[in-house]
Amino acid sequence: MSSASAAKKVISMTKRNQHVVPRESGWAVQGANATRATELFDRKADAINRAREISRHQGTELLIHGRNGQIQSKDSHGNDKFPPKG
């Protein structure tokens, strides 16, 4: 593996879709497949704002979950094609 492709692999591994998920004491911003939260918030709106900042910076997707854990909405900040297929 060349150093350029190794660097690209490291960068792509650090870019994770961001999830806003419920916690007992509030809301967490957590990268996809991460075992720990990036940040914790008392208010869902604050968690969404921070997760949106991260996903915009990384060019990833933001997934917002409800209290029941199901995804309520998605917001993509990646290089999506427009218009989308389908």
Side-chain angles (χ1 to χ4, degrees), residues 1-2 14 27 36 46 55 79 85:
M1 181 182 304
S2 73
T14 60
W27 295 88
R36 295 175 50 181
D46 295 334
S55 62
N79 296 321
K85 288 186 177 180

mmCIF file of all heavy atoms in Angstrom, residues 1-2 14 27 36 46 55 79 85:
data_model
loop_
_atom_site.group_PDB
_atom_site.id
_atom_site.type_symbol
_atom_site.label_atom_id
_atom_site.label_comp_id
_atom_site.label_asym_id
_atom_site.label_seq_id
_atom_site.Cartn_x
_atom_site.Cartn_y
_atom_site.Cartn_z
ATOM 1 N N MET A 1 0.859 -1.170 0.000
ATOM 2 C CA MET A 1 0.000 0.000 0.000
ATOM 3 C C MET A 1 0.904 1.231 0.000
ATOM 4 O O MET A 1 1.792 1.355 0.824
ATOM 5 C CB MET A 1 -0.899 -0.035 1.240
ATOM 6 C CG MET A 1 -1.843 1.122 1.308
ATOM 7 S SD MET A 1 -2.900 1.162 2.790
ATOM 8 C CE MET A 1 -3.718 -0.394 2.750
ATOM 9 N N SER A 2 0.639 2.147 -0.906
ATOM 10 C CA SER A 2 1.442 3.365 -0.969
ATOM 11 C C SER A 2 1.098 4.274 0.207
ATOM 12 O O SER A 2 0.054 4.137 0.831
ATOM 13 C CB SER A 2 1.205 4.093 -2.282
ATOM 14 O OG SER A 2 -0.059 4.698 -2.273
ATOM 15 N N THR A 14 -11.717 7.851 9.827
ATOM 16 C CA THR A 14 -12.082 8.803 10.861
ATOM 17 C C THR A 14 -13.375 9.539 10.538
ATOM 18 O O THR A 14 -13.956 10.161 11.413
ATOM 19 C CB THR A 14 -10.964 9.835 11.094
ATOM 20 O OG1 THR A 14 -10.735 10.546 9.891
ATOM 21 C CG2 THR A 14 -9.688 9.165 11.562
ATOM 22 N N TRP A 27 -28.972 13.623 25.768
ATOM 23 C CA TRP A 27 -28.742 13.236 24.380
ATOM 24 C C TRP A 27 -27.247 13.164 24.098
ATOM 25 O O TRP A 27 -26.474 13.948 24.652
ATOM 26 C CB TRP A 27 -29.398 14.245 23.434
ATOM 27 C CG TRP A 27 -30.884 14.215 23.583
ATOM 28 C CD1 TRP A 27 -31.630 14.934 24.456
ATOM 29 C CD2 TRP A 27 -31.786 13.373 22.869
ATOM 30 N NE1 TRP A 27 -32.949 14.600 24.331
ATOM 31 C CE2 TRP A 27 -33.079 13.646 23.354
ATOM 32 C CE3 TRP A 27 -31.632 12.423 21.871
ATOM 33 C CZ2 TRP A 27 -34.203 13.004 22.878
ATOM 34 C CZ3 TRP A 27 -32.758 11.776 21.385
ATOM 35 C CH2 TRP A 27 -34.031 12.071 21.883
ATOM 36 N N ARG A 36 -18.160 4.903 22.351
ATOM 37 C CA ARG A 36 -18.365 6.000 23.295
ATOM 38 C C ARG A 36 -18.940 7.210 22.577
ATOM 39 O O ARG A 36 -18.686 7.426 21.397
ATOM 40 C CB ARG A 36 -17.047 6.381 23.948
ATOM 41 C CG ARG A 36 -16.481 5.267 24.805
ATOM 42 C CD ARG A 36 -15.134 5.581 25.347
ATOM 43 N NE ARG A 36 -15.100 6.904 25.982
ATOM 44 C CZ ARG A 36 -14.036 7.427 26.527
ATOM 45 N NH1 ARG A 36 -12.900 6.778 26.516
ATOM 46 N NH2 ARG A 36 -14.080 8.617 27.084
ATOM 47 N N ASP A 46 -29.370 21.000 21.218
ATOM 48 C CA ASP A 46 -27.933 21.266 21.341
ATOM 49 C C ASP A 46 -27.113 20.129 20.731
ATOM 50 O O ASP A 46 -26.100 20.361 20.077
ATOM 51 C CB ASP A 46 -27.540 21.472 22.800
ATOM 52 C CG ASP A 46 -28.170 22.716 23.410
ATOM 53 O OD1 ASP A 46 -28.489 23.669 22.646
ATOM 54 O OD2 ASP A 46 -28.360 22.740 24.641
ATOM 55 N N SER A 55 -20.721 16.749 11.163
ATOM 56 C CA SER A 55 -20.992 16.098 9.879
ATOM 57 C C SER A 55 -20.735 17.034 8.700
ATOM 58 O O SER A 55 -20.289 16.586 7.646
ATOM 59 C CB SER A 55 -22.401 15.512 9.831
ATOM 60 O OG SER A 55 -23.374 16.499 9.954
ATOM 61 N N ASN A 79 -20.987 14.263 -0.465
ATOM 62 C CA ASN A 79 -20.949 14.611 -1.890
ATOM 63 C C ASN A 79 -22.019 13.849 -2.640
ATOM 64 O O ASN A 79 -21.732 13.071 -3.538
ATOM 65 C CB ASN A 79 -19.558 14.298 -2.470
ATOM 66 C CG ASN A 79 -18.490 15.155 -1.829
ATOM 67 O OD1 ASN A 79 -18.723 16.324 -1.570
ATOM 68 N ND2 ASN A 79 -17.340 14.580 -1.584
ATOM 69 N N LYS A 85 -31.084 9.461 -7.386
ATOM 70 C CA LYS A 85 -31.739 8.416 -8.171
ATOM 71 C C LYS A 85 -32.959 7.928 -7.441
ATOM 72 O O LYS A 85 -32.994 7.880 -6.233
ATOM 73 C CB LYS A 85 -30.793 7.240 -8.403
ATOM 74 C CG LYS A 85 -29.691 7.534 -9.379
ATOM 75 C CD LYS A 85 -28.899 6.277 -9.643
ATOM 76 C CE LYS A 85 -27.837 6.529 -10.682
ATOM 77 N NZ LYS A 85 -27.061 5.309 -10.951
#
